[in-house]
Amino acid sequence: MKKVFKFFAAIASLAAVAGGAYLVYKNFFSKEEDDFDFDDSFADEDDSSSREYVSINITTDETEEEEEEDSDASEAADDTDAE
């Protein structure tokens, strides 16, 4: 059990060292410019005249139950007609 713990501790420490080295390289030695202006990327989406709205029809539970009963009754009638 002690060896397994040492193995996982070694893997975790190697991963931490690798992650730290990557961050140091990215922040200090990389020459890429990551300046991206998010404000300009959504400038063309402000056109509100092209919006479409959808109305939501809310039904009550009573009408849904009645529809289910009607469909169950029609299925039962279809089964009796087939015999």
Side-chain angles (χ1 to χ4, degrees), residues 36-46:
F36 184 76
D37 192 9
F38 288 106
D39 294 333
D40 292 339
S41 64
F42 297 112
D44 59 341
E45 295 180 10
D46 291 336

Side-chain angles (χ1 to χ4, degrees), residues 17-47:
V17 168
Y22 173 74
L23 287 176
V24 167
Y25 170 75
K26 185 176 178 182
N27 288 333
F28 295 111
F29 300 114
S30 180
K31 299 294 180 189
E32 290 183 22
E33 291 294 327
D34 291 336
D35 294 334
F36 184 76
D37 192 9
F38 288 106
D39 294 333
D40 292 339
S41 64
F42 297 112
D44 59 341
E45 295 180 10
D46 291 336
D47 186 21

Side-chain angles (χ1 to χ4, degrees), residues 1-15:
M1 186 72 171
K2 205 173 197 182
K3 289 182 181 183
V4 173
F5 177 72
K6 283 184 180 182
F7 176 72
F8 285 123
I11 288 178
S13 63
L14 287 175

